[in-house]
Amino acid sequence: MAISFVIDPSIAPCFSFSAPSSSSRTLPLRNLHFHGRPSPVSPLISKPNRRFPIFSAHQTNSEEANSKQRADVTTLIRSYKQALFNGDESSVAELETMFCQIEKEKNKMDQKVLSLSMKIASEKETKIRLQADFDNTRKKLDKDRLSTESNAKVQIMKSLLPIIDSFERAKLQVKVDTDKEKKIDTSYQGIYRQFVEVLRHLRVSAIATVGKPFDPLLHEAISREESQVVKAGIITEELNRGFVLGDRVLRPAKVKVSLGPVKKKTPSPAEEITPSA
């Protein structure tokens, strides 16, 4: 026969259950009234003073321990119902105390789980932040290292530019008349070509000048001159060679720039009229 429960809300405040249509809530179960015939008394509580199994909150998390805990709680609930059927107040009070202890242990474990979850989240966030800081520091160090290497190479290349100028001046001044001078000139030219090849391998190149538009980032205008042939803004002569290392200017080229054809000033009609004597 079906059994219904009438719950008195003033007693036994520790037992919790979940209803399908509502959220979990705590309701007292001590003072219950039954309608219908009770089922036979369980052998577990056939004696009023029989002790009941106590749920342990400190068992391991293994599958066997979890199964035993669920069985213990189920047995306690069944024993509680039987005690209510029999009107055994002492057994009911003892079981309610056990339920209170179970509820308190559960709340403690929930707090521990929440605390550990927050700690894990915080540690994870700290780890991510430290990893990001490490990556940013490594990238900055790599960038600084490349910048230092580039600056050092630029300084070395700048110190070699006067040697190139000396080779260029010597080439213009040397006049080969004898076979001995020709051999010296050949040796000199071989050394110069070898030196130029080394600079080219290091990405050093000369700046284009004559016939190119004037670029203030690459050229240094020493003078400007009129030209009937060359357009304005075009380089007409190179005075000193300039060089770049990759995309960095080692030395701007010194050049002359055309002003283009200069228009002669035509006299105005008033100037053409001369006063009569």
Side-chain angles (χ1 to χ4, degrees):
M1 179 179 293
I3 300 173
S4 61
F5 298 91
V6 180
I7 301 173
D8 186 347
S10 63
I11 310 174
C14 293
F15 188 77
S16 300
F17 72 95
S18 298
S21 60
S22 61
S23 59
S24 178
R25 55 199 179 99
T26 301
L27 294 175
L29 294 177
R30 184 171 182 179
N31 191 13
L32 304 177
H33 304 281
F34 304 98
H35 304 280
R37 293 175 59 187
S39 61
V41 178
S42 171
L44 182 62
I45 56 171
S46 58
K47 296 181 181 180
N49 295 327
R50 176 81 177 262
R51 297 301 179 193
F52 303 99
I54 300 177
F55 175 78
S56 176
H58 303 286
Q59 294 180 353
T60 62
N61 292 328
S62 65
E63 292 296 329
E64 183 179 356
N66 292 334
S67 177
K68 185 177 180 180
Q69 290 173 1
R70 288 192 294 269
D72 288 345
V73 173
T74 303
T75 303
L76 287 176
I77 296 174
R78 187 183 301 112
S79 300
Y80 186 76
K81 292 180 180 179
Q82 296 296 338
L84 291 174
F85 287 146
N86 295 334
D88 189 348
E89 293 292 335
S90 61
S91 298
V92 170
E94 183 178 359
L95 287 167
E96 288 175 353
T97 302
M98 294 179 186
F99 289 138
C100 288
Q101 292 177 354
I102 293 173
E103 187 73 17
K104 290 178 182 178
E105 291 295 333
K106 176 181 175 297
N107 292 336
K108 288 181 181 180
M109 295 303 296
D110 289 343
Q111 290 297 326
K112 287 183 180 180
V113 171
L114 179 61
S115 177
L116 290 174
S117 299
M118 294 177 63
K119 185 177 180 180
I120 291 173
S122 177
E123 293 293 336
K124 185 177 180 180
E125 183 179 356
T126 302
K127 180 182 177 181
I128 294 174
R129 189 185 309 112
L130 290 176
Q131 184 66 36
D133 292 341
F134 175 78
D135 292 339
N136 292 334
T137 302
R138 179 177 54 81
K139 291 178 182 178
K140 185 177 183 301
L141 290 176
D142 292 341
K143 184 178 179 180
D144 293 342
R145 177 178 57 80
L146 294 176
S147 178
T148 301
E149 292 177 358
S150 178
N151 291 335
K153 187 182 290 186
V154 167
Q155 294 301 321
I156 294 174
M157 293 299 104
K158 283 184 177 180
S159 65
L160 296 176
L161 295 183
I163 300 177
I164 298 177
D165 296 337
S166 299
F167 272 110
E168 293 290 337
R169 285 194 297 267
K171 182 179 180 181
L172 296 175
Q173 294 174 2
V174 171
K175 295 181 180 180
V176 180
D177 295 329
T178 64
D179 292 340
K180 186 176 181 179
E181 290 176 347
K182 188 177 296 185
K183 290 181 180 179
I184 294 174
D185 182 64
T186 302
S187 300
Y188 150 78
Q189 292 296 337
I191 295 173
Y192 180 55
R193 282 194 296 270
Q194 185 178 4
F195 182 61
V196 170
E197 285 298 324
V198 172
L199 294 179
R200 186 178 291 112
H201 179 71
L202 294 174
R203 300 177 60 206
V204 177
S205 59
I207 298 175
T209 53
V210 178
K212 300 294 182 180
F214 176 78
D215 186 350
L217 298 178
L218 301 175
H219 308 122
E220 180 182 353
I222 301 301
S223 64
R224 296 178 180 273
E225 57 185 6
E226 300 177 3
S227 176
Q228 300 297 326
V229 180
V230 183
K231 296 181 180 180
I234 302 299
I235 298 173
T236 58
E237 184 180 353
E238 180 183 87
L239 303 178
N240 192 14
R241 297 183 72 181
F243 297 90
V244 293
L245 175 61
D247 56 352
R248 296 186 63 177
V249 178
L250 296 175
R251 184 179 70 186
K254 296 181 180 180
V255 296
K256 289 183 179 180
V257 184
S258 171
L259 291 175
V262 178
K263 295 181 180 179
K264 293 183 180 180
K265 185 178 180 181
T266 56
S268 61
E271 292 177 350
E272 292 180 351
I273 298 176
T274 56
S276 58

